[in-house]
């Protein structure tokens, strides 16, 4: 989803369905991307990462797709579970004075039982 | 192995007061970061450090200062707190990306309220 003003976009899915969370990144020189999950009251937790020389990477129940042409990243969660409910952020590593990790706006994922 | 530890967890300040947030990591990471997160928004990078003795500005550095005197510690200072600095602050650390790709590990956050 696209960020609207100060409100995070929300994706609601039924338990067991697949979820797709999208992210647009800003810098064409970014060489490394990470998806984080943040549960209420906690810090972000690593989910999966991908380097810019790849276009797909799979983990356990998650897949990240990278389209460098349009600077787009997506996170696919298979068989979404109630425990997947959280805010999801993509982050890009920008090579500027070393490496700078910059986050996107985030998407709220709500899983309906 | 404690990972990334932030001190304090909560703080209320009056406008104009100063304070320092401490971040400590025990993973021998080169990179450390300070972010702020406001309600309904993502994390915005305040300052970061690529190694002991180095600091650099992030996206929203104004009103904050940082120091990295020791590799394991990254301090965030507010010299004269303003209500606009009410936020949740997260510290993170990661290995030198020149060696291997690695994610950043985050602390549990510091909830700061400026009244």
């Amino acid at each position: 989803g696209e960020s609207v003003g100060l409100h995070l976009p929300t994706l609601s899915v039924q338990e067991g369905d697949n979820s797709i969370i999208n992210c647009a990144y800003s810098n064409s020189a970014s060489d490394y991307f990470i998806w984080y999950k943040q549960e209420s009251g906690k810090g972000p937790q690593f989910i999966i990462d991908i380097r810019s020389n790849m276009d797909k990477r799979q983990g356990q129940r998650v897949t990240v797709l990278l389209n460098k042409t349009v600077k787009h990243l997506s996170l696919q969660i298979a068989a979404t579970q109630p425990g997947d409910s959280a805010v999801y952020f993509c982050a890009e590593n920008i090579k500027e004075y070393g490496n700078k990790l910059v986050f996107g706006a985030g998407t709220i994922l709500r899983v309906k039982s | 192995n404690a990972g990334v530890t932030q001190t304090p967890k909560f703080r209320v300040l009056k406008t104009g007061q100063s304070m320092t947030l401490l971040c400590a990591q025990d993973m021998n990471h080169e990179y450390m970061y300070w972010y702020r997160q406001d309600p309904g928004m993502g994390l915005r990078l305040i300052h970061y450090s690529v190694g002991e003795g180095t600091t650099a500005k992030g996206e929203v550095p104004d009103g904050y200062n940082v120091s990295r005197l020791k590799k394991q510690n990254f301090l965030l200072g507010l010299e004269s707190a303003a209500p606009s600095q009410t936020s949740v602050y997260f510290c993170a650390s990661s290995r030198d990306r020149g060696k291997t790709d690695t994610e950043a590990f985050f602390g549990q956050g510091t909830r700061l309220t400026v009244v």
Side-chain angles (χ1 to χ4, degrees):
Chain A
E2 294 293 327
S3 177
V4 179
L6 297 178
H7 303 287
L8 297 180
T10 300
L11 176 66
S12 294
V13 299
Q14 198 66 38
E15 181 179 358
D17 288 350
N18 296 334
S19 303
I20 299 177
I21 302 171
N22 297 303
C23 176
Y25 63 92
S26 60
N27 195 317
S28 57
S30 296
D31 65 345
Y32 177 58
F33 305 88
I34 313 170
W35 278 100
Y36 284 90
K37 174 185 180 183
Q38 186 178 27
E39 295 173 302
S40 180
K42 297 182 179 180
Q45 289 182 296
F46 172 86
I47 301 173
I48 191 169
D49 57 1
I50 188 168
R51 298 180 66 175
S52 60
N53 61 355
M54 303 169 67
D55 52 21
K56 181 179 180 179
R57 191 173 186 197
Q58 287 183 296
Q60 189 175 23
R61 271 202 315 120
V62 294
T63 300
V64 55
L65 298 177
L66 175 62
N67 185 332
K68 293 182 287 296
T69 302
V70 294
K71 292 191 283 188
H72 182 269
L73 201 64
S74 69
L75 176 70
Q76 299 178 3
I77 304 174
T80 313
Q81 302 169 359
D84 295 327
S85 293
V87 180
Y88 289 80
F89 296 97
C90 68
E92 61 180 307
N93 183 78
I94 299 175
K95 286 190 172 299
E96 181 180 303
Y97 185 62
N99 293 288
K100 186 168 68 171
L101 192 63
V102 176
F103 280 73
T107 298
I108 299 170
L109 176 64
R110 290 206 175 105
V111 182
K112 298 175 285 187
S113 298
Chain B
N1 189 340
V4 179
T5 304
Q6 292 181 229
T7 309
K9 291 183 173 57
F10 303 94
R11 185 73 186 267
V12 178
L13 285 180
K14 293 182 179 178
T15 297
Q17 284 185 315
S18 63
M19 79 163 293
T20 300
L21 281 66
L22 171 64
C23 177
Q25 52 95 3
D26 60 3
M27 296 172 281
N28 200 35
H29 284 171
E30 291 291 333
Y31 288 87
M32 296 189 75
Y33 309 84
W34 273 109
Y35 293 89
R36 61 176 287 172
Q37 186 174 34
D38 299 305
M41 297 184 71
L43 289 87
R44 291 184 291 171
L45 183 64
I46 305 171
H47 286 279
Y48 65 108
S49 167
V50 303
E52 181 179 320
T54 74
T55 64
K57 293 180 179 180
E59 302 166 279
V60 288
D62 294 341
Y64 305 95
N65 57 75
V66 288
S67 64
R68 184 97 181 268
L69 298 179
K70 294 182 179 180
K71 186 177 184 179
Q72 63 268 33
N73 295 335
F74 195 30
L75 278 63
L76 178 71
L78 286 74
E79 290 186 349
S80 179
S84 61
Q85 293 177 305
T86 294
S87 189
V88 179
Y89 292 85
F90 286 100
C91 175
S93 72
S94 64
R95 287 196 298 263
D96 179 359
R97 287 213 49 243
K99 294 185 174 67
T100 182
D101 291 329
T102 180
E103 74 274 21
F105 293 85
F106 282 80
Q108 76 278 23
T110 297
R111 186 173 295 275
L112 175 67
T113 302
V114 183
V115 298

